[in-house]
Amino acid sequence: MSMADTVLYEVGDGLATITLNRPEAMNALNVETKVALREAVRSAAADDAVRAVLLTAAGERAFCVGQDLKEHIGLLAADREAGSGQASGQTMSTVREHYNPIVRALAGARKPVVAAVNGVAAGAGLGFALAADYRIVADTASFNTSFAGVALTADSGISWTLPRVVGPGRAADLLLFPRSIAAREAYELGIASRVVPAAELRAEAEKTARALAEGPTVAYAALKEATAYGLTHSLSETLDKEDELQSRAGASEDHAIAVRAFVEKEKPRYLGR
């Protein structure tokens, strides 16, 4: 099914596939695309039948180059004509109305999210990729923070995710001096979880996402919560959180299935609960 022509949404066998579908515009984010993407990721996060999410994009050139600057220029011009002389709250409200809900849904989903990065991921496109739990990247892809290049600050969660992935010193370098980061360097920095030949990207990403969709969903959700919690809390607080989450995972049907399969030397068939 399609959330809009610019975002495709499909669910099958526990996997939700969300595809940015503006290849002619390098999957730039106009208002229609942002609204559709927000609704797609929210639907995937809220649907108990969805046990993993694959976020990808159409075309070969770009995953997502961030804000559609052509549309943005038009909105800024409308502000000037209205006499404001600067970007209005309405023009810049896309962070609050679109980017923040998208990142919250991706990072907060109680299921794994895989990003298949097929080309350039810049600005908010980089932010969405970093909000995923696992990033499979084509060897022809690249990343760029972009914000300082258009006199803006970071959004789409990048000020939180990027320092945690690459370290605060390297994050400052990448934000203050935007540049193209090739796939191999992205892997070395930790931005890419895995780099594969471009021709193999979709197959490898689907294989990975489907394996996660068949896995112990409750445990995956607990792992996401535990690692996010541990980044901002003390060791003692994190130990208490691990105790809480392990009790939850231990009470799941999937844990019982896993233990029984281990004893019987069989492959577990998880139910996701």
Side-chain angles (χ1 to χ4, degrees):
M1 62 177 286
S2 174
M3 304 298 289
D5 290 341
T6 56
V7 175
L8 307 179
Y9 182 73
E10 182 180 1
V11 177
D13 297 325
L15 176 64
T17 301
I18 301 171
T19 306
L20 292 166
N21 190 39
R22 294 189 74 207
E24 74 289 349
M26 298 185 76
N27 296 307
L29 299 163
N30 61 5
V31 172
E32 179 187 21
T33 303
K34 288 180 283 191
V35 170
L37 181 59
R38 182 188 64 195
E39 297 314 303
V41 295
R42 281 177 166 174
S43 294
D47 188 349
D48 290 338
V50 172
R51 294 169 57 188
V53 180
L54 176 59
L55 177 63
T56 187
E60 299 178 355
R61 293 191 301 159
F63 173 73
C64 174
V65 294
Q67 176 68 40
D68 186 327
L69 292 181
K70 291 182 179 179
E71 181 183 73
H72 187 67
I73 288 170
L75 293 172
L76 292 176
D79 280 347
R80 286 193 294 272
E81 291 176 5
S84 67
Q86 60 183 4
S88 68
Q90 182 176 1
T91 301
M92 300 309 296
S93 66
T94 192
V95 173
R96 179 178 64 255
E97 294 180 4
H98 306 120
Y99 294 160
N100 289 355
I102 290 167
V103 171
R104 285 192 176 105
L106 291 170
R110 299 194 61 78
K111 59 202 71 175
V113 178
V114 176
V117 182
N118 55 308
V120 179
L126 171 59
F128 298 160
L130 289 173
D133 302 298
Y134 197 84
R135 290 167 291 280
I136 301 180
V137 177
D139 57 3
T140 53
S142 63
F143 299 85
N144 197 317
T145 62
S146 295
F147 297 103
V150 289
L152 288 174
T153 185
D155 59 33
S156 58
I158 284 179
S159 59
W160 193 94
T161 54
L162 187 62
R164 285 163 171 79
V165 170
V166 305
R170 186 54 60 86
D173 174 46
L174 297 177
L175 287 165
L176 292 172
F177 303 99
R179 60 182 176 81
S180 180
I181 305 161
R184 182 50 54 184
E185 183 184 1
Y187 176 76
E188 293 169 354
L189 289 171
I191 294 172
S193 306
R194 180 153 47 108
V195 176
V196 301
E200 300 174 13
L201 175 67
R202 187 58 183 255
E204 285 297 314
E206 288 187 354
K207 179 181 177 181
T208 300
R210 290 194 182 282
L212 290 169
E214 295 173 357
T217 311
V218 175
Y220 291 152
L223 284 166
K224 288 184 66 166
E225 185 175 348
T227 52
Y229 186 92
L231 286 170
T232 55
H233 291 78
S234 69
L235 173 60
S236 180
E237 291 170 321
T238 301
L239 290 171
D240 289 339
K241 173 60 72 171
E242 287 182 345
D243 176 36
E244 171 197 333
L245 294 173
Q246 195 68 292
S247 295
R248 186 189 305 167
S252 69
E253 290 184 55
D254 282 344
H255 176 60
I257 290 169
V259 172
R260 184 167 59 250
F262 179 82
V263 171
E264 297 175 357
K265 294 182 171 54
E266 296 177 350
K267 181 180 179 179
R269 294 183 178 275
Y270 295 115
L271 302 176
R273 57 181 187 264

